[in-house]
Amino acid sequence: MTPPTDSRVRQLGILAVLVLLTETAPLEVSLVYPAARSLAQSFGSAGADAVTGMVSLAAVVCIPLLGRIADVVGKKRVLLYSGAIFATGSLLCAVATALPLLLFGRLLQGAVGGALAVAYAMVRDAFPRHRVPVALGIVSSGIGISAIIAPFLGGALVDRYGYHGVFWFLFLLSALVLPLGAVALPDDRRPVDTARSGHRRLDVLGALLLGLAAAALVGGLGAAVRSGWASPGAVGALSSALLLALGFWRRERNRAHPAVDLGLLTAPAVRSTLLSAVLTTAGTSAASYLLAQLLQTPRQAGLGYAFGLTALAAAGWTFTLGLGSLAGGPLGGYLARRRGPRSTALMAQALVAIGALGFAALPGQRGAVLFISLVFGLGTGLAYASFANLITEAVPAERAATGAALIAVANQLGAAAGASALASVRTRYPVGPTGSVFADSGYRLAFTCAAAAALLALLTTWRMRHGRAPATGGAATSRTDAPATIPAGDGSTTKEMI
């Protein structure tokens, strides 16, 4: 593990590079949303949906593997290699004129999906414990930056260059950031010859089984909501998810060096954090996705719940969502250090629920949209910071990247399942004189469901036993006198905060 860095200037440099590196993950999604129309014109609506969704599925598959590799070979190398793969994928997307090449490029872009998880783990290693909670919040604030700039930047690039412009920008961004990362990030490379070389073994198949099970679950939930639980697509995907999860469990339960210790995955502190994260991100991602569509819905007779804005104009109505998220990251880290990450998560989930209900009852005034977006965005930023601190408090230092990868998978699962499910809720309940899928009741019901998901997350967090004390930056899970243990796959024990 890298010794904590003492120089404040060096710490600020590390934070700046980590924010830039992790910014590519949300940008590869949020920047592509404005390009959906351009993609549909070139590849059809089904092709556009595949392009936007491919990167999330790829990220879910690779995140567990990247987390385990980072714990074994070093976090800096994983960040740089995944960034290089992302740059390659961005370049392929930028020059692609055929759908297969574009999808392959998006598949490679998914390699950066685990960057945020690895960055969380690097913060824990490189910073003094008392600064870790706030530093985690600052790294999380990159999500808020993308929420501010992506609608404006994406709209401008697409208007001028089509979908190619978005991918050229992502390629140039990664080409700029990678050299900075190589210079600024602390080297945590581990020597090849060590007395604990057994812990360096990688269970690639186990990590892939977990990732593929998660991806199949996301696909199955989306198919179930779109076509019904008995549809062939839903039955096939959900059955595959169950079989893959069973295969993962059977492979990992008796392995000396598993991809993810089952004891870690099922520990109360980790389990409750993951469930709360899935429910919260299902609400935040779905509401953000639906709001952008609502604002661009053409006004129709009898439908007052529509705005008819252009993509660029809609960004001017919702930029406060990004401002709130940007402020919520550092604030969430500060509150976690002072009051505990559990109370911060409760506050975040309450704000998300209030914001989603506000969208459900949304009036047509721009000021109301700006204010509700600010409240919702603040809840989103607080949520990401609180989950980063909750998982840091729940796992030992030697499993930091693996634990952060689990929370990243939970976020991806919640985002993908929530957006898919609630977008389908919107389309399955059309009302109005024209029978449009953009009718009032569909949007209102979907936003209400997003609020319900946030409230379920709040109840889950309320029952948590860990995270009630001020965040320690993981110091409590590194002590030899920690109050509880969980079994590891090699017969040893792992400390856990409960």
Side-chain angles (χ1 to χ4, degrees):
M1 185 172 65
T2 306
T5 305
D6 293 327
S7 169
R8 287 198 175 190
V9 174
R10 179 76 189 281
Q11 290 171 8
L12 289 174
I14 293 172
L15 275 179
V17 171
L18 287 177
V19 168
L20 288 172
L21 274 171
T22 56
E23 187 67 16
T24 55
L27 281 177
E28 69 181 351
V29 177
S30 56
L31 266 184
V32 176
Y33 282 159
R37 188 183 297 267
S38 175
L39 288 166
Q41 290 172 347
S42 299
F43 307 109
S45 58
D49 289 343
V51 171
T52 55
M54 173 63 75
V55 71
S56 295
L57 291 178
V60 168
V61 172
C62 75
I63 284 172
L65 182 60
L66 288 180
R68 180 60 182 145
I69 292 175
D71 278 334
V72 172
V73 305
K75 302 169 187 65
K76 178 177 180 177
R77 283 199 283 180
V78 168
L79 282 172
L80 296 180
Y81 289 157
S82 63
I85 296 172
F86 172 83
T88 302
S90 300
L91 181 60
L92 291 178
C93 291
V95 302
T97 56
L99 183 59
L101 181 59
L102 185 57
L103 290 176
F104 180 66
R106 291 290 278 170
L107 183 69
L108 294 181
Q109 281 189 316
V112 83
L116 188 58
V118 178
Y120 286 158
M122 177 168 278
V123 166
R124 180 174 179 169
D125 287 353
F127 286 75
R129 295 295 185 199
H130 67 282
R131 293 180 184 166
V132 168
V134 176
L136 289 173
I138 292 174
V139 173
S140 302
S141 68
I143 298 171
I145 297 174
S146 69
I148 297 174
I149 68 173
F152 295 102
L153 179 60
L157 290 171
V158 171
D159 287 345
R160 187 171 181 86
Y161 304 108
Y163 71 86
H164 297 282
V166 169
F167 296 113
W168 276 117
F169 173 82
L170 290 172
F171 169 71
L172 293 175
L173 176 64
S174 57
L176 171 67
V177 174
L178 283 174
L180 295 176
V183 173
L185 296 181
D187 190 0
D188 60 345
R189 183 180 305 182
R190 302 186 180 185
V192 175
D193 295 321
T194 113
R196 302 181 65 190
S197 60
H199 291 281
R200 296 173 54 81
R201 298 175 188 172
L202 288 173
D203 182 15
V204 176
L205 179 57
L208 287 178
L209 284 172
L210 177 60
L212 290 171
L217 177 60
V218 171
L221 291 174
V225 175
R226 287 191 302 270
S227 307
W229 292 96
S231 64
V235 172
L238 293 175
S239 299
S240 298
L242 180 61
L243 291 174
L244 288 165
L246 180 61
F248 167 77
W249 176 76
R250 294 192 63 179
R251 178 176 177 83
E252 301 298 289
R253 59 176 177 167
N254 293 320
R255 289 187 67 83
H257 308 290
V260 179
D261 284 345
L262 294 179
L264 179 67
L265 188 60
T266 59
V270 176
R271 185 177 65 241
S272 58
T273 300
L274 296 180
L275 178 58
S276 184
V278 167
L279 292 170
T280 304
T281 53
T284 58
S285 299
S288 301
Y289 177 64
L290 291 170
L291 181 62
Q293 296 184 51
L294 170 63
L295 293 174
Q296 297 177 56
T297 299
R299 293 183 181 274
Q300 301 178 38
L303 295 178
Y305 197 59
F307 293 80
L309 302 176
T310 65
L312 197 55
W317 281 56
T318 59
F319 74 94
T320 52
L321 193 153
L323 287 178
S325 184
L326 181 62
L331 178 61
Y334 173 79
L335 292 175
R337 188 178 69 179
R338 295 297 299 271
R339 302 179 57 185
R342 173 182 170 273
S343 63
T344 307
L346 289 172
M347 183 186 305
Q349 289 151 352
L351 290 174
V352 169
I354 292 170
L357 289 174
F359 291 140
L362 195 64
Q365 292 80 21
R366 179 174 180 174
V369 177
L370 290 172
F371 178 74
I372 297 171
S373 296
L374 179 65
V375 171
F376 186 85
L378 181 61
T380 301
L382 289 173
Y384 279 105
S386 61
F387 292 138
N389 278 284
L390 281 169
I391 201 68
T392 298
E393 297 297 310
V395 299
E398 63 271 17
R399 306 291 172 86
T402 301
L406 291 176
I407 204 70
V409 170
N411 288 336
Q412 289 283 353
L413 279 173
S420 176
L422 296 190
S424 298
V425 166
R426 177 208 64 200
T427 60
R428 290 188 66 180
Y429 297 95
V431 172
T434 62
S436 168
V437 297
F438 298 111
D440 287 26
S441 66
Y443 275 112
R444 293 187 192 277
L445 180 58
F447 281 126
T448 303
C449 290
L455 290 174
L456 285 175
L458 187 148
L459 292 176
T460 301
T461 305
W462 184 267
R463 298 185 61 189
M464 284 183 183
R465 295 176 58 193
H466 81 295
R468 302 188 180 212
T472 64
T477 49
S478 302
R479 299 178 307 178
T480 58
D481 62 342
T485 61
I486 57 175
D490 57 2
S492 63
T493 57
T494 299
K495 301 291 185 294
E496 180 204 8
M497 277 289 290
I498 299 181

